[in-house]
Amino acid sequence: MRIGFYHDSAGTRHAGGIAVYTQHVAAELAADHEVYVYTQTGEIADLLARSDAEVVTTPSFTGSVPDPLERLLPLGPQSQAKLAMTLWGLRNGLLEHVERHVDVLITYQFLDDLLLSHLVDVPTIYGIHGLASVGLGARARERLSRTDWIVANSTATARTVSRTFGYEVDAIVPPGVDETRFRPDA
């Protein structure tokens, strides 16, 4: 299977949270599948550099929105960078690369899912790793996204999604544990 992961910082060494999780999943899946990680440029994470995953980069857009425009956008800095990355990808062939090279595209951020579920002609999966609060972005994603599957990381997250939005997720995929690093005798 050809699998794509789309996250602005998933390929870089300065990633945290979901981006690091994405690196690990992409590296593991690349052992048996063709995997592409779509991310902004930066120093590539060692884990991805050692794996068979192909990292496809865009320019970095962090902090690139002019101040006057920033005040008009109802998005925080990370979402502004995500929007700029997707717009750049639309104009510069990145989204065509997705359509030619992947069978399924996985996103973890509401704005990525909202935009890409409309812009690419491949099935999309939206992974939810928690739902602490539901703001305007989450509500917009719920109403406007065309994603094909919604996956939660735990039964608790799945219950919260069901209670909040009134539907069941399509699957639960627990993050897993690296047993070489985390074991009872460690």
Side-chain angles (χ1 to χ4, degrees), residues 9-178:
S9 61
T12 64
R13 294 184 66 149
H14 301 288
I18 300 300
V20 171
Y21 169 79
T22 302
Q23 292 173 3
H24 283 271
V25 174
E28 288 295 322
L29 288 174
D32 297 313
H33 301 277
E34 198 173 322
V35 173
Y36 296 88
V37 177
Y38 299 94
T39 190
Q40 291 184 62
T41 194
E43 189 176 349
I44 300 300
D46 292 338
L47 177 63
L48 287 177
R50 291 189 314 267
S51 78
D52 291 328
E54 182 175 331
V55 179
V56 180
T57 61
T58 71
S60 176
F61 296 100
T62 303
S64 64
V65 177
D67 285 339
L69 184 57
E70 185 177 324
R71 283 178 282 223
L72 297 174
L73 292 173
L75 301 170
Q78 185 180 20
S79 292
Q80 291 172 13
K82 289 176 176 302
L83 177 60
M85 178 179 163
T86 301
L87 292 174
W88 183 93
L90 184 61
R91 295 186 61 155
N92 292 282
L94 182 76
L95 301 186
E96 286 86 0
H97 186 279
V98 169
E99 290 181 346
R100 286 192 316 271
H101 290 86
V102 305
D103 299 316
V104 64
L105 183 65
I106 302 168
T107 67
Y108 295 100
Q109 305 286 331
F110 82 89
L111 188 57
D112 293 341
D113 175 71
L114 178 59
L115 295 170
L116 295 167
S117 68
H118 287 271
L119 295 173
V120 297
D121 194 24
V122 297
T124 57
I125 296 173
Y126 179 54
I128 301 175
H129 280 252
L131 198 62
S133 65
V134 179
L136 178 61
R139 296 231 181 258
R141 197 218 69 80
E142 286 302 314
R143 291 192 179 275
L144 303 172
S145 174
R146 290 185 181 167
T147 202
D148 296 278
W149 297 288
I150 297 177
V151 176
N153 68 336
S154 68
T155 54
T157 299
R159 278 194 302 271
T160 302
V161 167
S162 178
R163 203 172 40 250
T164 304
F165 298 116
Y167 63 80
E168 302 299 317
V169 299
D170 297 299
I172 297 171
V173 179
V177 174
D178 180 352

